[in-house]
Amino acid sequence: KERLLSHLKEKTGFDPLRVLTGFNKLDGFTNGGLAPGEVGVMVAPPKQGKTTALINFAANAVLNGKRVVYFTLELSSKMICHKFDLRIIGSTLEVLKKDPKRAQAIVNKTPDAFHCLEFPTKALTVDGLAAQGEKFGGGDLVFIDYGQLLKPSAQRGDRRHEITDVYEGL
């Protein structure tokens, strides 16, 4: 298996172990998404769709057989799960009310592979995050919605150094 994977990567530039994002252009730029052990960081001003993009990445991963642990440090887990469920459903709840057979089919084929954990701002450290994630078997992917809201391991006096420590820890 390792030889075949290595051959595919060498000859095509595509690593089948990477996790597709579901966005063709982004998957193209990254040769097929994130590889095991890689950290991806999304940066944008407020209200530009970072959480929506992360939820889409997570849903795509789950639909492709990956286990996801999603940490939210800003929005409630209820809100994140609602957005995730709507993405998995691919429809509004109003449409599904009119088609209960479709709703049941979606429930039957949806894997139980998404775990969302909510923590207050600066209540969770990188080490605490790892411990919490292990409760769910570590997951194939871990999403941290708003990484700079993790608690730094040490107070450094300068916020940018604390944020650097957090991302280096991740």
Side-chain angles (χ1 to χ4, degrees), residues 92-133:
T92 66
L93 296 176
E94 292 302 317
V95 169
L96 291 182
K97 281 182 187 176
K98 297 174 185 171
D99 190 356
K101 286 184 181 179
R102 180 174 174 211
Q104 188 60 52
I106 290 168
V107 169
N108 290 342
K109 74 175 189 175
T110 301
D112 185 22
F114 180 78
H115 302 282
C116 184
L117 305 171
E118 175 185 349
F119 290 90
T121 298
K122 294 188 182 174
L124 185 66
T125 64
V126 171
D127 290 339
L129 182 139
Q132 290 293 325

Side-chain angles (χ1 to χ4, degrees), residues 36-59:
E38 283 186 338
V39 174
V41 178
M42 185 178 301
V43 180
K47 305 291 183 200
Q48 297 300 307
K50 296 180 296 294
T51 295
T52 299
L54 290 178
I55 289 168
N56 283 317
F57 294 164

Side-chain angles (χ1 to χ4, degrees), residues 14-50:
F14 181 78
D15 183 349
L17 293 178
R18 289 181 171 274
V19 178
L20 296 169
T21 65
F23 292 87
N24 292 336
K25 283 191 175 186
L26 184 56
D27 290 336
F29 290 135
T30 60
N31 289 326
L34 289 175
E38 283 186 338
V39 174
V41 178
M42 185 178 301
V43 180
K47 305 291 183 200
Q48 297 300 307
K50 296 180 296 294

